[in-house]
Amino acid sequence: MKSTPTELKYILVIVIAFASSFACAQVKFKQGDEFQRQVVTKSNCVLQRGSQTLHVGSVSTVVKTYKITAVSEKGASLTITTDKLIDTINAMNQNLVYNSGKPADPNSVIQVGLQKMVNSQSIVSINNKGEILNLKRPVVANDTLLSFAGIQPEHLSPGTNLQLMVDFPVSLTVKKGYSWKVATSSAETNYTVYAINGPTTVITYKTSVLGGSLNSRINGSILIDNNTGVILKRYAQSVSTGYEMVNGVVYTATRRTAVTEICNKK
């Protein structure tokens, strides 16, 4: 198996924020509950400088298990384990295939780095809103490695929301078609309630990320379990354009990414 010598740093930011007018989520987990979350990412990037063009394509599948180890009136504790990782990268007419079910190539920096993620375990405590209070985790994977491999990173840090969940349940008093906007200094997201079907809610969104070296347009949808706030399904498509620096050389960049996320209770 061959690995590309090029290190490409490209971080795609998908901003998922929600309106404060909704009630905060109340954690409704039971000790011993387990959820399996699979994230499939397909990405194609074109870097160009004059007549020189570099194509990088990747397909990654990451499977994680979230196990509830303790529940209290104030929140819950859980462990997050990376069970499976499959990644295919095509760049500069070279191909790399990594499968966590097989030994990593010791001569490949990328494969060795990905191997360290498999079976790694984070211990997380959350409050009743799904916000992370504290955590213990192994060494964080390098952002450049994750970006090059086309893997969506899971941002775990105190004060942020657990990515397994939204930060509120959609109020059943909100009707189909209700929409709102959330804006930050670098992004603007418009949300619309597409459907409410008793136990679940579907929300669609459009995000614009502007102001940096790369500008992104993102369209997506989220299927939410109203009882737990767990994201059952999420799908997003994005197009990013701008410029990127590779080995000290500036290239114009265009990247198209599709992310499919599915979560099931074990």
Side-chain angles (χ1 to χ4, degrees):
M1 292 180 285
K2 297 180 180 180
S3 55
T4 173
T6 306
E7 293 291 335
L8 302 179
K9 185 176 182 181
Y10 186 104
I11 301 174
L12 172 66
V13 179
I14 299 180
V15 179
I16 302 298
F18 296 92
S20 60
S21 59
F22 289 87
C24 292
Q26 295 297 310
V27 174
K28 295 183 180 179
F29 298 132
K30 295 180 181 179
Q31 184 173 342
D33 281 351
E34 289 190 48
F35 299 87
Q36 188 176 73
R37 178 171 172 253
Q38 175 180 281
V39 181
V40 178
T41 306
K42 298 180 180 180
S43 177
N44 285 287
C45 183
V46 178
L47 299 173
Q48 190 163 6
R49 181 173 180 266
S51 60
Q52 183 182 9
T53 302
L54 171 64
H55 295 266
V56 180
S58 64
V59 179
S60 71
T61 299
V62 180
V63 179
K64 296 184 179 183
T65 295
Y66 298 71
K67 183 175 181 179
I68 309 302
T69 56
V71 176
S72 69
E73 294 181 355
K74 296 182 179 180
S77 297
L78 64 153
T79 58
I80 305 173
T81 305
T82 300
D83 302 316
K84 181 179 180 181
L85 199 164
I86 299 175
D87 196 45
T88 301
I89 306 169
N90 293 287
M92 298 178 64
N93 298 317
Q94 297 189 62
N95 184 54
L96 178 146
V97 179
Y98 170 77
N99 187 325
S100 60
K102 301 178 181 180
D105 180 353
N107 297 315
S108 169
V109 174
I110 295 175
Q111 289 201 32
V112 171
L114 295 176
Q115 184 69 31
K116 292 179 180 179
M117 296 174 58
V118 182
N119 296 322
S120 63
Q121 192 172 82
S122 298
I123 302 173
V124 182
S125 295
I126 59 174
N127 62 17
N128 282 329
K129 298 178 182 179
E131 296 173 344
I132 297 173
L133 300 176
N134 53 69
L135 71 150
K136 296 180 180 179
R137 60 179 174 179
V139 177
V140 181
N142 182 277
D143 281 341
T144 300
L145 171 63
L146 294 180
S147 179
F148 182 76
I151 296 172
Q152 297 294 306
E154 182 167 24
H155 300 289
L156 297 174
S157 60
T160 63
N161 217 70
L162 190 68
Q163 286 186 279
L164 180 72
M165 307 167 60
V166 293
D167 55 6
F168 67 91
V170 175
S171 170
L172 296 180
T173 62
V174 175
K175 303 298 182 181
K176 176 181 177 180
Y178 179 80
S179 61
W180 69 98
K181 179 173 69 175
V182 175
T184 67
S185 59
S186 60
E188 179 178 291
T189 305
N190 291 279
Y191 297 95
T192 300
V193 176
Y194 182 80
I196 299 179
N197 300 309
T200 61
T201 295
V202 178
I203 293 176
T204 60
Y205 65 93
K206 295 182 178 181
T207 298
S208 298
V209 182
L210 306 172
S213 61
L214 294 163
N215 296 326
S216 300
R217 305 285 183 181
I218 306 161
N219 293 323
S221 63
I222 310 169
L223 175 65
I224 304 165
D225 182 328
N226 292 335
N227 183 54
T228 61
V230 168
I231 297 172
L232 301 176
K233 293 182 180 181
R234 173 159 37 198
Y235 181 71
Q237 284 188 319
S238 67
V239 177
S240 301
T241 58
Y243 61 89
E244 185 59 85
M245 183 173 291
V246 180
N247 295 330
V249 179
V250 176
Y251 291 80
T252 59
T254 301
R255 185 169 185 173
R256 299 179 184 273
T257 305
V259 181
T260 303
E261 176 183 328
I262 299 175
C263 182
N264 296 301
K265 187 175 181 181
K266 286 188 173 182

